[in-house]
Each structure stands twice: as structure tokens, then as C-alpha cells.
Amino acid sequence: MNFMNTAKKKVESLLSKLPDNCSLEDVQYHLYVIEKVLHGLEVANKERKITQEEAEGLLSKWVIK
């Protein structure tokens, strides 16, 4: 998804991709996810980045195999 510069454009883009019969809860959920992903990307750009191997090592502590 392109980084759009306005909230209105983000919502318009989302609405164009959702089915016509989606609920308000569906819209809210997708907006929530988009906001969290964008926030995560912003934090990742500002803070220390880790390698794929480091991420897998951290995840292996939390994931039950």
C-alpha cells in the first residue's frame, strides 16, 4: 500500500477494496489494522532494525512448535 498523505485518501482507498456488503465493524477493523501497521513502520524506521535471523530467534521464544 502506498503511503498516502491524508486520512481521507486512506479511507477512500480502503473502501474501494472492501466488498459492498461489508459491515461497519469490518471497516473499523481494517482501519485499525492499517493504523497499527503504519505506526509499526514508523517506529521501525526511527528505531533499531534487526535482521531476519534476530527476528526468528526472538519469535522462536514465543512460538510453540
Side-chain angles (χ1 to χ4, degrees):
M1 178 175 194
N2 254 344
F3 288 102
M4 297 177 197
N5 56 2
T6 68
K8 183 177 178 178
K9 287 185 180 183
K10 289 176 192 172
V11 172
E12 287 173 345
S13 176
L14 170 64
L15 291 175
S16 72
K17 294 173 185 165
L18 290 174
D20 289 339
N21 64 344
C22 69
S23 68
L24 286 175
E25 289 85 8
D26 293 334
V27 175
Q28 289 174 319
Y29 171 76
H30 284 83
L31 287 172
Y32 173 81
V33 170
I34 289 169
E35 184 62 30
K36 292 300 177 183
V37 168
L38 291 176
H39 176 73
L41 290 171
E42 182 181 317
V43 169
N45 284 329
K46 289 181 182 177
E47 296 180 7
R48 177 183 172 271
K49 296 176 182 152
I50 62 174
T51 65
Q52 178 72 28
E53 291 78 22
E54 290 173 314
E56 289 174 2
L58 290 170
L59 286 174
S60 69
K61 295 176 185 176
W62 303 327
V63 177
I64 298 172
K65 294 182 180 183

